[in-house]
Amino acid sequence: MTRSITAGLSLAGVGAVAKMGIGAAYAADRPLTPTVYQWIQNFHPAISEVNAKFPGINSQVAPVEGFGIERFVAEAKNNESTWDVYVGQTPFVEMSALVKAGVIEPWDKYIPKDVIDDLLPSIREECTIDGKLYSWPFLLDVIGTGWHSGLTSKAGVADAAPATWDDVLAAAKTIVDKQAAPWGATFDSHGWRSLAPIAHSMSSHVYTPEGLFDFTSEPAIEALKLMKQIMAVANPDVLLEGASDAGVNGTPDEVAFAAQRVGLYFKYFNAPLRMATNWDDPNALHLGPLPKFANGEGSTVFWTTGCALFKHGQNKEKAAEYVKALTYDRQIWKDSIVGTPSGHPGQLPPYKSIYAEWRANKPDWMPDFVTLVRDQLDRAKAISNHLFGLQQFVIGKPIWEAYLKGEEADPKVAMQKVAEAVNAEVKKG
């Protein structure tokens, strides 16, 4: 490619390349090229309106099904990148791996200082490694509770968020016993969506000094025991993989809640919001904080899905301009919060200034759940960034499920095996 480009330049063009570097020549020749995770485009249609403000933009679907980053890594090994910015990075999932592989670089040289200062502190910390911002945050998700008030009312269960996990188990059993619904409660069996947040509800201090999830800790073991208790009143396929995105989306919990066949639901808030759009009366959806163990800390898990700057990409200043426009766009946030025909993600912004604006002059379209989710962030904790931040849960899932399925009687034994398996993979590098 380099040979063909320089061969087509005049002598003045060759001199220009020599002066400013071949990368800058590419940037001038290639339009801004973001790559966006498919679900983000699906649920946030106003992104196309932002794109229209950048003439010539070449937005593409990201090749990252199931969080796979192989294409990005392969290109980086050749010191190249087809794209300039990746919209879809979740810090604990792949950020450390992308940094380690030399795929992405920090935003610090390109992001305006006023934007840095505008980030909510916990989100800025989540997106930072060694003092450098490697993810420009976009979409905020917090894990909490959703319930179908029609089903809970039919069962005579109080129309309020259960405060403790004991309350959850009692309410779920009542829903089943009163035949208000086939199942009382459900959850997503992927560890970062269930095991980790449930453990956080007892204590968020559940990570090793190296940043791995401490599977042998008391909160982790109690979380696993609780998952087994909930399974007794949950849809029987709760442990199966999802139907889309390499198994991580279209999960059985979503299907059961969308079909109005389960009363209580624990996942990031955008899941019950999206599923309730299928109901006869979406207003029957009520939301609340994640329950906690008696005398527990009452924390939960949050994460942001943001934007990564490719080290070997081009148009870096323009990429920063684009991401700022994207993440501050008020139509995107209204659509996310209110919903559109394409879905109701309910994801919130990462900026202090937007919440301050809404507090000072609350829009007439804004539902109450915005304040709920924002308040939850103050007691939530992100999963620690680590090279195995996501993979540790993938490795552990089939092992801890031996306990959930009754194949292993002792949860401590199951979790010790998980820890050993994860540490063995870490040692392999």
Side-chain angles (χ1 to χ4, degrees):
M1 183 178 291
T2 302
R3 286 196 299 271
S4 64
I5 288 176
T6 52
L9 294 174
S10 67
L11 291 178
V14 172
V17 170
K19 183 176 180 180
M20 66 183 179
I22 190 70
Y26 280 164
D29 183 66
R30 190 179 82 178
L32 174 65
T33 309
T35 185
V36 186
Y37 213 143
Q38 182 69 69
W39 68 264
I40 295 177
Q41 296 189 81
N42 291 348
F43 294 139
H44 300 277
I47 289 176
S48 62
E49 298 175 17
V50 176
N51 290 349
K53 299 175 183 177
F54 291 80
I57 190 172
N58 180 20
S59 184
Q60 300 182 15
V61 175
V64 288
E65 185 181 37
F67 311 122
I69 59 171
E70 295 83 3
R71 173 73 180 276
F72 298 157
V73 174
E75 290 198 355
K77 287 181 178 179
N78 292 325
N79 298 321
E80 61 187 23
S81 174
T82 299
W83 310 278
D84 301 321
V85 60
Y86 165 44
V87 182
Q89 174 179 257
T90 301
F92 85 91
V93 173
E94 73 266 70
M95 188 168 76
S96 292
L98 290 171
V99 172
K100 180 76 172 178
V103 176
I104 63 175
E105 66 175 275
W107 281 103
D108 300 64
K109 290 193 297 183
Y110 307 100
I111 186 171
K113 184 179 185 302
D114 64 308
V115 176
I116 284 275
D117 293 340
D118 199 18
L119 293 174
L120 290 160
S122 57
I123 292 177
R124 180 175 176 178
E125 180 182 359
E126 176 211 17
C127 297
T128 300
I129 295 177
D130 295 332
K132 298 177 180 179
L133 192 80
Y134 282 95
S135 180
W136 187 326
F138 183 17
L139 309 168
L140 170 65
D141 280 304
V142 181
I143 291 182
T145 305
W147 68 94
H148 191 307
S149 62
L151 300 180
T152 56
S153 296
K154 184 178 178 182
V157 172
D159 187 21
T164 69
W165 291 112
D166 287 339
D167 295 335
V168 168
L169 294 173
K173 185 175 185 302
T174 299
I175 289 168
V176 174
D177 290 347
K178 295 291 184 65
Q179 298 184 343
W183 308 303
T186 192
F187 58 89
D188 187 313
S189 64
H190 294 94
W192 63 93
R193 297 169 177 166
S194 51
L195 184 71
I198 293 172
H200 279 210
S201 74
M202 174 177 279
S203 174
S204 58
H205 302 287
V206 67
Y207 297 89
T208 68
E210 297 76 26
L212 286 167
F213 187 78
D214 187 353
F215 292 97
T216 61
S217 66
E218 180 186 4
I221 291 169
E222 290 301 315
L224 185 65
K225 290 163 64 176
L226 177 64
M227 289 164 66
K228 187 169 185 177
Q229 290 177 286
I230 296 175
M231 281 178 60
V233 289
N235 42 303
D237 60 352
V238 67
L239 297 183
L240 296 183
E241 290 297 297
S244 64
D245 201 10
V248 298
N249 287 318
T251 47
D253 53 283
E254 294 184 346
V255 175
F257 200 63
Q260 306 182 78
R261 294 174 65 78
V262 63
L264 301 168
Y265 190 23
F266 311 100
K267 200 166 179 172
Y268 35 77
F269 286 111
N270 88 66
L273 284 166
R274 286 185 291 110
M275 297 308 108
T277 60
N278 299 283
W279 297 355
D280 305 327
D281 179 14
N283 291 322
L285 173 66
H286 291 189
L287 301 173
L290 191 71
K292 66 177 184 176
F293 290 93
N295 301 317
E297 179 182 324
S299 181
T300 183
V301 164
F302 85 88
W303 56 70
T304 55
T305 304
C307 310
L309 183 66
F310 286 108
K311 181 178 181 180
H312 302 290
Q314 312 301 328
N315 302 296
K316 294 180 181 180
E317 290 83 3
K318 182 61 70 173
E321 181 184 341
Y322 172 71
V323 174
K324 182 177 180 180
L326 187 72
T327 55
Y328 276 96
D329 187 81
R330 297 306 194 269
Q331 189 62 48
I332 285 178
W333 296 123
K334 180 180 179 181
D335 288 351
S336 180
I337 291 167
V338 176
T340 69
S342 67
H344 192 181
Q347 292 164 313
L348 300 186
Y351 298 123
K352 293 181 285 187
S353 65
I354 296 181
Y355 294 103
E357 174 187 311
W358 288 341
R359 281 195 301 270
N361 186 20
K362 183 180 177 181
D364 57 8
W365 50 261
M366 183 173 291
D368 292 339
F369 82 79
V370 173
T371 301
L372 166 70
V373 177
R374 172 63 188 87
D375 290 346
Q376 284 295 287
L377 179 64
D378 291 335
R379 66 177 187 172
K381 176 180 172 58
I383 295 172
S384 295
N385 290 319
H386 189 280
L387 194 62
F388 280 73
L390 174 72
Q391 196 62 21
Q392 61 186 332
F393 297 109
V394 176
I395 294 167
K397 187 172 185 283
I399 303 173
W400 73 59
E401 285 185 351
Y403 168 74
L404 297 179
K405 295 175 181 178
E407 299 164 0
E408 168 57 62
D410 191 337
K412 293 182 180 180
V413 171
M415 292 301 244
Q416 181 61 42
K417 290 180 179 178
V418 170
E420 291 171 356
V422 171
N423 288 329
E425 291 301 316
V426 170
K427 288 179 181 178
K428 291 178 183 178

